[in-house]
């Protein structure tokens, strides 16, 4: 793992290196780069970069006063691309859809392609199943209670927790890496709370989504047929408003397509990147 210092604080990231097209793989809440552990080995002709953004599974708390709302997090993604001087990036979103907002903020100049993979969109910030934890985080001491709940089997594997996000059973050591930072570090819990309570009002989110109509570079929308978090029509709506979009629907998968269908997702992503990348 490498680390880059941003104005917000340190961001850890995995970088496979190489001269292939750059793919930046963002993650969900509260997850980290291990969300992509099954997919990255299948993309050995691409340079894959998997950061851990401050969504609650990061190892070091951000600097005090950092904006960790949806808007602030989108700006952190853009700052990360700047700091590594990455260009013509394929930016992939799965679960968390916030990085798309930097299109509305005019910070998408380093992005050559966008991939929306079963992620938040339109007014689905956060999805209905995630709203009770977000409400808990608003209560004094709620972030601590939420972090403790992440240690329970019910939240880790139950139908009301992460078990609803994929058909596959996520290994305990992966879940530990996602949940332990907030359990042990009050600063990380504060960051998690700031993000969990930082969704924009519905009208604002819809206004920001409208900016995608001006993103004329290639876009790929990959939607899961069995998704319990992201409405099925959102994939189709994204493909309609993005001027240069392709829609692919994945069978036998829920939100975490990289868990349920890594081979199929990697094949679709690789074809999209190499098929739309500029020639030598």
């Amino acid at each position: 793992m490498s680390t880059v210092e941003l104005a917000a604080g340190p961001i850890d990231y995995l970088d496979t290196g190489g001269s292939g097209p750059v793919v930046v793989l963002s993650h969900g809440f509260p997850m980290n780069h291990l969300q992509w552990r099954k997919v990255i080995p299948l993309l050995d002709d691409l340079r894959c970069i998997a950061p851990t953004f401050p969504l609650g599974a990061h190892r070091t708390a951000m600097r005090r006063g950092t904006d960790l709302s949806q808007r602030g997090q989108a700006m952190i993604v853009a700052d990360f691309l700047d700091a590594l001087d990455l260009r013509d990036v394929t930016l992939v979103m799965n679960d968390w859809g916030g990085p798309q907002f930097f299109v509305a903020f005019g910070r998408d100049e380093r992005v050559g392609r966008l991939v929306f993979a079963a992620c938040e969109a339109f007014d689905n910030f956060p999805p209905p199943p995630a709203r009770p934890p977000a409400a808990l985080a608003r209560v004094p001491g709620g972030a601590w209670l939420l972090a403790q709940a992440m240690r329970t089997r019910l939240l880790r594997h139950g139908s009301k927790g992460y078990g609803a996000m994929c058909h596959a059973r996520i290994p305990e050591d992966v879940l530990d890496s996602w949940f332990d930072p907030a359990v042990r570090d009050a600063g990380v819990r504060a960051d998690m709370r700031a993000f969990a309570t930082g969704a924009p009002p519905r009208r604002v989110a819809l206004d920001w989504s409208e900016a995608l109509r001006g993103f004329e570079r290639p876009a790929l929308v990959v939607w899961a047929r069995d998704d319990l978090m992201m409405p099925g029509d959102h994939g189709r709506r994204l493909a309609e408003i993005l001027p240069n979009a392709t829609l692919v629907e994945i069978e036998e998968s829920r939100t975490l397509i990289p868990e349920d269908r890594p081979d199929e997702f990697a094949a679709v992503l690789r074809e999209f990147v190499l098929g739309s990348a500029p020639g030598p």
Side-chain angles (χ1 to χ4, degrees), residues 216-239:
E216 297 183 348
R217 283 151 274 171
L220 174 66
V221 180
V222 185
W223 229 246
R225 289 277 195 179
D226 301 341
D227 206 321
L228 303 178
M229 304 280 286
M230 315 301 169
D233 69 310
H234 279 194
R236 294 185 288 274
R237 285 173 60 189
L238 282 168

Side-chain angles (χ1 to χ4, degrees), residues 108 110 172 176 257 262:
D108 60 319
R110 293 181 178 273
E172 294 296 335
D176 288 344
I257 302 173

Side-chain angles (χ1 to χ4, degrees), residues 263-274:
D263 292 359
E264 187 172 353
F265 183 78
V268 169
L269 176 60
R270 183 179 179 279
E271 180 180 1
F272 170 68
V273 172
L274 297 179

Side-chain angles (χ1 to χ4, degrees), residues 193-264:
R193 179 184 185 277
F195 171 73
T197 60
R202 178 177 183 273
R203 183 67 261 166
V204 172
L206 290 173
D207 286 345
W208 288 349
S209 296
E210 278 295 303
L212 294 174
R213 295 186 185 275
F215 187 84
E216 297 183 348
R217 283 151 274 171
L220 174 66
V221 180
V222 185
W223 229 246
R225 289 277 195 179
D226 301 341
D227 206 321
L228 303 178
M229 304 280 286
M230 315 301 169
D233 69 310
H234 279 194
R236 294 185 288 274
R237 285 173 60 189
L238 282 168
E240 288 170 0
I241 71 168
L242 288 155
N244 188 13
T246 300
L247 173 64
V248 175
E249 294 185 318
I250 302 289
E251 302 283 352
E252 299 179 11
S253 181
R254 291 182 175 167
T255 304
L256 296 182
I257 302 173
E259 290 289 330
D260 282 338
R261 307 290 287 180
D263 292 359
E264 187 172 353

Side-chain angles (χ1 to χ4, degrees), residues 170-185:
I170 303 171
E172 294 296 335
D173 61 333
V174 173
L175 292 171
D176 288 344
S177 78
W178 291 356
F179 302 152
D180 282 359
V183 170
R184 66 172 183 263
D185 190 316

Side-chain angles (χ1 to χ4, degrees), residues 22 35 58 66 101 127 151 280:
V22 176
Q35 184 174 336
H58 50 301
T66 297
F101 290 145
R151 304 170 74 174

